[in-house]
Amino acid sequence: MHRLLLLGCLWLLAAPPAPGIFQRPTGTPAPVRLQYLLEPLHPTVHTQRGATATLPCVLRALPHNYRVKWSKVEPANYRENIIIITNGLYHKNYGPLSPRVRLRHSHRYDASLTITDVALEDEGQYRCQLVNGLEDESISLTLHLEGVVFPYQPSNGRYKFNYHEAKRACEQQDSRLATYQQLYKAWTEGLDWCNAGWILDGTVHYPIINSREPCGGRLLLPGVRTYGTRDKQKDRFDAFCFTSALQGSRVYFIRGHLNFKEAGQACRNHGAAIAKVGQLYSAWKFSQLDRCDGGWLADGSVRYPITTPRERCGGLPDPGVRSFGFPSKEMRTYGTYCFVGK
């Protein structure tokens, strides 16, 4: 009898609920009054890439025949992807997060979600939903990674990416397409860029601090200018990528007069890999890497990070990662930036 009951419970958890039965449409606010779920004291959980983070969801009482469903709101497709479903006794994991998530379950009322080895794509909004017959309620939480946004274009010039190519380009540089919230925060911190770029939800924007003629004109106020939603296949722009610190990693410079191939070999000789653009930005932002030397990166570009601006290092007044573009890979002019991970 007990075995049949166990099999029955696992069968109920083995398949996600049919669309529309237990799912509240994306963007619909949670009920104002919560009967069973406790409002979180801190709806935003701050963490780092590679860390373990817990999103709190605690019940004040246990209703009969209830389920708790965790899902992640995805801005790129306006959907909620189910992560885990539990009835308090048994649980079932779903989707790509499945190997890295578990329920904390520190007591019988605890349905908090723990994510191990946090990745860039884990940032965003999560929903903990109590399903109790026809009376369901939910709370929303945000997982936030401290990071840096950088504009990116390929070696063949600006406005070459459709949406899917921009997404892939960011991923190849140890980053991902930025969200609007990440781009807006970067603008408030001084990002000023005249080229429009894709972000994660398929819209196109560019952030302007100093209004000027080539960037919409002097009369427009500073802000994040928008082109709105564009055709993901046909329209072509640059990309705005987002990256974060990675625990246990390091970027360092090797001096020399190296061509691109020699630069990669120099890093491998040290047990490292030639750094990607996102890794250099992360080291500049979070490790205060400051060098006046141009160095090769994995995409064939040459850049250098400046945290303390000075006359002989580009002469620009603001900190940043400077670029020499994409010189000929045969040139023996530059050193190289190497990356050592965990």
Side-chain angles (χ1 to χ4, degrees):
M1 181 67 181
H2 291 293
R3 186 177 180 183
L4 289 174
L5 179 61
L6 172 61
L7 290 172
C9 290
L10 290 175
W11 180 85
L12 285 172
L13 291 169
I21 296 179
F22 294 119
Q23 295 186 1
R24 176 179 290 110
T26 302
T28 303
V32 175
R33 180 172 180 149
L34 294 174
Q35 182 179 358
Y36 292 105
L37 295 177
L38 292 174
E39 283 281 2
L41 289 176
H42 304 288
T44 299
V45 174
H46 297 267
T47 188
Q48 290 183 316
R49 186 161 49 147
T52 295
T54 297
L55 298 167
C57 184
V58 178
L59 285 70
R60 68 177 83 235
L62 299 177
H64 294 292
N65 302 319
Y66 76 95
R67 286 190 295 170
V68 170
K69 180 181 73 174
W70 275 99
S71 56
K72 186 173 188 291
V73 181
E74 299 292 352
N77 52 25
Y78 305 102
R79 293 181 55 191
E80 290 191 19
N81 293 330
I82 297 173
I83 300 170
I84 196 167
I85 299 176
T86 180
N87 63 2
L89 296 174
Y90 312 102
H91 69 273
K92 178 71 176 178
N93 292 20
Y94 299 93
L97 267 174
S98 180
R100 297 190 289 111
V101 295
R102 57 181 171 82
L103 294 170
R104 183 174 65 180
H105 205 63
S106 58
H107 53 79
R108 62 196 295 245
Y109 299 99
D110 185 14
S112 302
L113 182 73
T114 295
I115 305 173
T116 60
D117 195 19
V118 171
L120 288 173
E121 59 268 22
D122 297 341
E123 179 169 90
Q125 186 179 8
Y126 291 76
R127 192 186 305 278
C128 177
Q129 184 176 12
L130 176 73
V131 180
N132 178 30
L134 296 177
E135 298 179 1
D136 64 316
E137 56 190 56
S138 67
I139 58 172
S140 293
L141 300 109
T142 299
L143 185 66
H144 174 74
L145 276 72
E146 192 66 29
V148 57
V149 172
F150 61 93
Y152 189 75
Q153 57 184 221
S155 58
N156 56 344
R158 72 173 200 158
Y159 293 176
K160 300 297 183 181
F161 294 137
N162 66 24
Y163 173 82
H164 306 287
E165 291 164 344
K167 183 173 182 291
R168 188 160 54 249
C170 288
E171 291 167 355
Q172 289 171 347
Q173 296 308 315
D174 193 47
S175 59
R176 68 179 302 215
L177 279 175
T179 64
Y180 182 81
Q181 290 77 11
Q182 290 164 347
L183 181 61
Y184 185 87
K185 182 174 183 290
W187 168 72
T188 65
E189 294 172 349
L191 181 60
D192 182 286
W193 196 255
C194 204
N195 295 343
W198 294 101
I199 63 172
L200 185 60
D201 64 3
T203 56
V204 174
H205 308 268
Y206 63 101
I208 293 297
I209 297 290
N210 302 307
S211 298
R212 50 201 187 272
E213 286 304 327
C215 306
R218 297 180 182 275
L219 298 181
L220 286 180
L221 293 174
V224 179
R225 312 273 172 78
T226 180
Y227 285 12
T229 303
R230 311 298 291 190
D231 189 307
K232 292 182 178 181
Q233 293 286 354
K234 297 179 181 178
D235 290 327
R236 295 189 172 270
F237 298 95
D238 291 346
F240 286 106
C241 305
F242 172 83
T243 193
S244 182
L246 181 61
Q247 292 184 338
S249 66
R250 183 168 69 97
V251 172
Y252 62 94
F253 181 75
I254 294 179
R255 188 183 299 276
H257 297 283
L258 310 170
N259 63 29
F260 178 72
K261 184 177 180 180
E262 292 167 342
Q265 187 60 52
C267 291
R268 289 191 292 274
N269 291 343
H270 285 75
I274 188 168
K276 299 178 180 181
V277 177
Q279 292 162 348
L280 184 65
Y281 268 92
S282 177
W284 164 73
K285 177 74 172 180
F286 299 104
S287 301
Q288 287 73 55
L289 184 62
D290 184 295
R291 286 207 67 105
C292 208
D293 306 280
W296 291 104
L297 296 178
D299 66 341
S301 65
V302 172
R303 305 173 195 250
Y304 61 101
I306 296 296
T307 56
T308 304
R310 46 207 186 270
E311 191 63 35
R312 293 191 176 183
C313 296
L316 297 176
D318 300 315
V321 174
R322 319 280 197 240
S323 175
F324 289 137
F326 295 84
S328 168
K329 291 183 177 181
E330 302 305 316
M331 288 182 62
R332 285 189 169 90
T333 308
Y334 307 103
T336 184
Y337 288 96
C338 302
F339 172 81
V340 177
K342 292 192 285 187

